[in-house]
Amino acid sequence: MICDNIEQVRNTVREAALRSGRNPDAVKIVAVSKHVSVTRVTAAQSCGQIVFGENYLQEAAEKISQISEPVTWHFIGHLQTNKAAAAAELFQMIQTVDRLKIATALNTHAERIGKYLDVLIQVNVGREAQKSGVLPENAEGLLRDLQSLAHLRVRGLMTMPPYGRDSEESRLWFRALKQLALQLAEEELFYDNSTVELSMGLSGDFAVAVEEGATMIRIGTAIFGERKE
Ligand SMILES: *Cc1c(COP(=O)(O)O)cnc(C)c1O
């Protein structure tokens, strides 16, 4: 069941990539495993799923301790400063950096444990009051501030656009994120300006995200089924 779902997501990614003249291999599937048991994560792992995304630190810590490599873990939830040390230790990538304070805390701890931490900047493209993320016009300033944090590698941008009934409603938000990433790359503000990651697209709209240039899609429901939250 989980393997069939993953296979279906892969096929949809492949078709969307080919439709838009992109290489399907340039799109990483992040399986979002919040509220998903270790058994089911392991099932996904057994069908070749490598990257998993978690939203809650405590839940993630328990899972990560029970699942062996080569799985890699991305943090995709809201991060508080007092949890930065744990996050820096547990995760290979933090996708939700949106302010200097949290970046500084992550950098300090990464340095302490001798690690280089990949991060994405979360952008609030839809300017929604209830959502985390830096506003698009403040992204450049934040990235400039992050240049001095030697243990963070800013790989790209992430977004969670306004909810729309129709996946087509997400298209302009995805386009806006890509546009912003191109501008920032032009200013050479990423760790690798020739390969900038764009984490965008969920179960409902990932085909559109791939068409618009996503390099990472974050898929929960379409892989593991509906969550009870
Ligand atoms: C839960 C979550 C997802 C996955 O959403 P689905 O609609 O279940 O695919 C993706 N990104 C973030 C940040 C999430 O919190």
Side-chain angles (χ1 to χ4, degrees), residues 32 34 55 76 158 160 202-203 218-221 227:
V32 174
K34 61 182 170 215
N55 291 62
I76 61 169
M158 175 270 208
M160 193 78 177
L202 280 60
S203 294
R218 308 183 307 271
I219 310 296
T221 315
R227 289 179 293 273

Side-chain angles (χ1 to χ4, degrees), residues 164-219:
R165 250 169 234 286
D166 183 339
S167 63
E168 277 301 324
E169 291 176 37
S170 302
R171 189 181 295 279
L172 289 179
W173 301 118
F174 295 151
R175 219 169 262 181
L177 192 75
K178 165 125 196 188
Q179 210 48 48
L180 180 61
L182 287 171
Q183 277 171 33
L184 298 169
E186 188 98 342
E187 300 287 327
E188 306 198 327
L189 291 170
F190 295 108
Y191 181 76
D192 177 353
N193 293 287
S194 64
T195 321
V196 177
E197 302 282 355
L198 285 175
S199 174
M200 55 189 197
L202 280 60
S203 294
D205 57 14
F206 69 91
V208 174
V210 169
E211 287 172 5
E212 295 300 330
T215 65
M216 287 183 195
I217 54 173
R218 308 183 307 271
I219 310 296

